[in-house]
């Protein structure tokens, strides 16, 4: 019986997967095989009788025309290699483990029936980091001030919205625990509107979360990141850097932080029941690119956490409501809408004794306190945090980080700033409070990660 290898991939109509730049080749015992059939998202090869080992190699590239001051670009966005052993008397193929990955390639799904082997390449996400770095403003700031310990990958979704995601990957994800790699999905407040990868983008709103304070040792402590307004920030909020990458690395947790990049206020499929599948697809892509999950355990989704700051609380609560049974932890950084979502939050929290809720407050101090009171009968400190517990958390001497914020103010400013919940609102995402017996404080995110079960 003749044997055919049929290779397919999804979303072949995406600008990120043009057929003309999709190179798919197969060999049998190291001899190249001619194409038996081809089309968008399809290549077929006839396996000769007597073959013992078949190898598949696929490279996908994307290309865009010149845009403003960015020249025409072509970059590889995904590549896979997978070998197969011919079995069943020459009628089927079985995937062979990749010696580097310690497993079959995570982006190649194989089904074999007598005479036909179906190999589907998972192309839900591809790597668009070179494009992002070319099209986005303020990438130079990120590249200059990013600290070792994490890697940032820009992911392009080949179907659906949002079109762009980011993955912050700490080194602990290289060798994950047996339970898989957890994903923490972070929802930021609304951003600019975009419709394509190949347009002008802004990295300013990503840098403020990922990067830490000004690394210049001669700069006054966090001077430019506390009450000195950044001229690029036209809002009334103070631009503060939150140090997310440092928190991820310092926590030691095998957690990938995913940032779905909204177009305006829309997070698309990142807020509905498809979110766990998207997180799984993102991790599988990162595993296939050897960014995470090297070894037999592979890059599979373990636990799923959700986090949101400010207006990012609105998509956070939507995503929680759509995935009550799958979400393990919630980090709500002064998250809008928490009072209106109280019933959903309590139902989720009470549904499983392993779930954990972490809240910080500025605007939402009273709402957080109300939820804490509602949960007082079935909560313990290991599962529930509400920081600060009330306005007393913003008194002098309570937190070294808050005291530093206050120290940068002129005396004439202190009354206005120290009692302004819009300043507390910013502290709620980058600040921290010392734990019992500790003289200093790590950021809220680092603390929550260290105390989490992700």
């Amino acid at each position: 019986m003749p044997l055919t290898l049929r290779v397919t991939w999804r979303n072949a109509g995406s600008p990120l997967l043009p057929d003309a730049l999709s190179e798919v080749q197969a060999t049998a015992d190291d001899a190249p095989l001619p194409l038996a059939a081809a089309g968008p998202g399809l290549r077929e090869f006839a396996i000769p009788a007597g073959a013992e080992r078949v190898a598949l190699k696929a490279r996908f590239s994307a290309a865009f025309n010149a845009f403003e001051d960015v020249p025409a670009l072509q970059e590889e966005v995904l590549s896979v290699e997978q070998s197969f052993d011919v079995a069943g008397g020459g009628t089927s193929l079985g995937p062979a483990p990749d010696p580097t990955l310690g497993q079959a390639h995570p982006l190649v799904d194989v089904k074999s029936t007598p005479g036909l082997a179906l190999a589907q390449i998972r192309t839900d996400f591809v790597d668009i980091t070179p494009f992002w770095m070319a099209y986005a403003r303020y990438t130079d700031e990120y590249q200059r001030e990013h600290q070792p310990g994490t890697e940032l990958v820009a992911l392009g979704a080949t179907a659906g919205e949002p079109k762009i995601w980011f993955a912050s990957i700490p080194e602990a994800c290289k060798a994950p625990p047996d339970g898989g790699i957890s994903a923490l999905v972070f929802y930021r407040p609304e951003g600019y509107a975009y419709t394509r990868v190949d347009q002008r983008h802004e990295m300013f709103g990503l840098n403020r979360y990922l990067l830490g304070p000004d690394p210049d040792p001669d700069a006054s402590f966090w001077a430019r990141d506390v009450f000195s307004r950044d001229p690029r920030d036209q809002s009334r909020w103070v631009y503060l850097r939150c140090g997310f990458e440092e928190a991820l690395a310092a926590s030691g947790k095998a957690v990938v932080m995913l940032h779905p990049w909204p177009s305006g206020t829309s997070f698309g499929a990142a807020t509905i029941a498809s979110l766990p599948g998207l997180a799984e697809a993102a991790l599988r892509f990162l595993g296939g690119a050897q960014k995470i999950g090297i070894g037999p355990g592979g890059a599979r989704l373990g636990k799923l956490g959700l986090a949101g700051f400010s207006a990012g609380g609105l998509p956070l609560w939507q995503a929680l409501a759509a995935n009550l049974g799958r979400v393990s932890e919630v980090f709500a950084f002064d998250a809008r809408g928490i009072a209106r979502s109280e019933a959903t939050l309590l139902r989720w929290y009470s549904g499983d004794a392993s779930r954990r809720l972490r809240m910080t407050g500025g605007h939402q101090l009273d709402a957080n306190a109300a939820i804490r009171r509602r949960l007082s009968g079935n909560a313990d400190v290991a599962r529930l945090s509400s920081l600060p517990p009330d306005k007393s958390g913003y008194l002098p001497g309570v937190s070294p980080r808050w005291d530093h914020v206050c120290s940068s103010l002129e005396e004439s400013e202190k009354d206005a700033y120290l009692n302004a919940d819009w300043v507390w609102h910013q502290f709620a995402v980058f600040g921290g409070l010392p734990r019992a017996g500790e003289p200093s404080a790590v950021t809220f995110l680092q603390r929550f990660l260290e105390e989490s079960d992700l």
Side-chain angles (χ1 to χ4, degrees):
M1 177 184 293
L3 176 60
T4 296
L5 171 61
R6 179 178 298 159
V7 183
T8 62
W9 57 96
R10 290 181 287 187
N11 309 326
S14 167
L16 297 174
L17 296 169
D19 195 66
L21 298 179
S22 300
E23 303 174 16
V24 181
Q25 303 170 331
T27 60
D29 298 327
D30 298 324
L33 295 176
L35 278 171
L42 170 69
R43 303 289 189 272
E44 278 192 7
F45 304 90
I47 310 302
E52 295 182 355
R53 174 62 70 97
V54 173
L56 168 67
K57 293 183 179 181
R59 294 178 66 248
F60 300 89
S61 297
F64 296 107
N65 295 327
F67 178 81
E68 296 181 354
D69 60 341
V70 180
L73 295 174
Q74 179 174 319
E75 299 286 348
E76 181 180 299
V77 295
L78 185 153
S79 66
V80 301
E81 295 187 19
Q82 177 63 61
S83 296
F84 305 91
D85 294 316
V86 181
T91 64
S92 64
L93 296 180
D98 183 284
T100 302
L101 297 173
Q103 57 175 320
H105 201 287
L107 296 179
V108 182
D109 293 332
V110 181
K111 294 182 180 179
S112 197
T113 58
L116 178 63
L118 302 172
Q120 184 180 64
I121 302 173
R122 287 180 170 254
T123 51
D124 306 272
F125 286 101
V126 296
D127 188 347
I128 61 167
T129 305
F131 295 119
W132 173 263
M133 292 299 176
Y135 292 126
R137 295 186 179 94
Y138 312 119
T139 57
D140 58 335
E141 179 181 55
Y142 177 81
Q143 292 168 331
R144 182 176 63 250
E145 300 184 22
H146 162 72
Q147 299 296 304
T150 64
E151 180 178 3
L152 179 68
V153 179
L155 300 173
T158 59
E161 305 290 338
K163 289 181 169 61
I164 298 174
W165 296 58
F166 296 94
S168 297
I169 310 165
E171 293 178 357
C173 290
K174 289 289 187 182
D178 293 340
I181 296 173
S182 295
L184 178 63
V185 182
F186 176 73
Y187 299 93
R188 53 159 290 176
E190 68 182 85
Y192 61 91
Y194 70 94
T195 59
R196 314 189 310 272
V197 169
D198 57 323
Q199 69 170 71
R200 184 60 66 195
H201 293 280
E202 299 285 342
M203 198 169 182
F204 170 73
L206 185 63
N207 289 348
R208 68 83 45 104
Y209 296 106
L210 298 184
L211 297 178
D214 192 335
D216 183 354
D218 296 324
S220 59
F221 188 69
W222 293 359
R224 128 179 143 190
D225 299 310
V226 182
F227 291 106
S228 298
R229 289 190 181 278
D230 191 295
R232 297 167 296 185
D233 187 1
Q234 300 303 309
S235 74
R236 70 188 184 93
W237 305 113
V238 176
Y239 173 52
L240 298 173
R241 285 189 176 176
C242 304
F244 281 6
E245 289 186 330
E246 181 182 359
L248 283 168
S251 75
K253 292 295 180 72
V255 176
V256 173
M257 195 172 197
L258 294 175
H259 304 256
W261 198 240
S263 179
T265 61
S266 175
F267 284 83
T271 62
I272 60 177
S274 58
L275 175 62
L278 289 168
E280 174 82 34
L283 294 192
R284 287 184 67 157
F285 171 79
L286 295 171
Q290 300 184 38
K291 306 288 187 184
I292 65 173
I294 307 301
R300 57 191 178 87
L301 178 63
K303 295 184 177 180
L304 177 64
L306 304 180
F309 167 59
S310 188
L314 303 179
L316 163 64
W317 307 128
Q318 293 175 29
L320 179 63
N323 297 281
L324 286 175
R326 187 62 179 88
V327 175
S328 297
E329 302 196 16
V330 170
F331 300 169
F333 298 103
D334 208 29
R336 275 183 58 190
I338 192 168
R340 294 194 302 274
S341 299
E342 181 179 292
T344 297
L345 189 55
L346 297 181
R347 186 166 68 252
W348 163 78
Y349 184 89
S350 302
D352 188 320
S354 68
R355 292 173 182 163
R356 303 187 183 197
L357 172 62
R358 311 297 184 191
M359 302 176 289
T360 68
H363 293 315
Q364 309 300 331
L365 280 174
D366 292 341
N368 293 354
I371 289 173
R372 188 178 70 248
R373 287 193 297 271
R374 289 284 302 274
L375 292 174
S376 60
N378 65 342
D380 58 64
V381 69
R383 294 186 59 203
L384 179 67
S385 300
S386 179
L387 303 172
D390 51 43
K391 294 179 181 179
S392 67
Y394 292 103
L395 293 174
V398 173
S399 166
R401 286 176 171 265
W402 181 245
D403 287 345
H404 173 70
V405 171
C406 301
S407 72
S408 68
L409 300 174
E410 299 292 337
E411 286 299 321
S412 60
E413 298 175 309
K414 284 190 176 181
D415 285 343
Y417 278 89
L418 300 190
N419 297 303
D421 61 2
W422 65 271
V423 181
W424 301 352
H425 179 63
Q426 293 297 306
F427 185 77
V429 69
F430 92 107
L433 298 172
R435 285 172 278 208
E438 295 183 359
S440 61
V442 299
T443 62
F444 287 125
L445 178 60
Q446 182 177 335
R447 176 172 178 168
F448 293 166
L449 286 169
E450 290 174 350
E451 294 176 351
S452 81
D453 198 32
L454 292 176

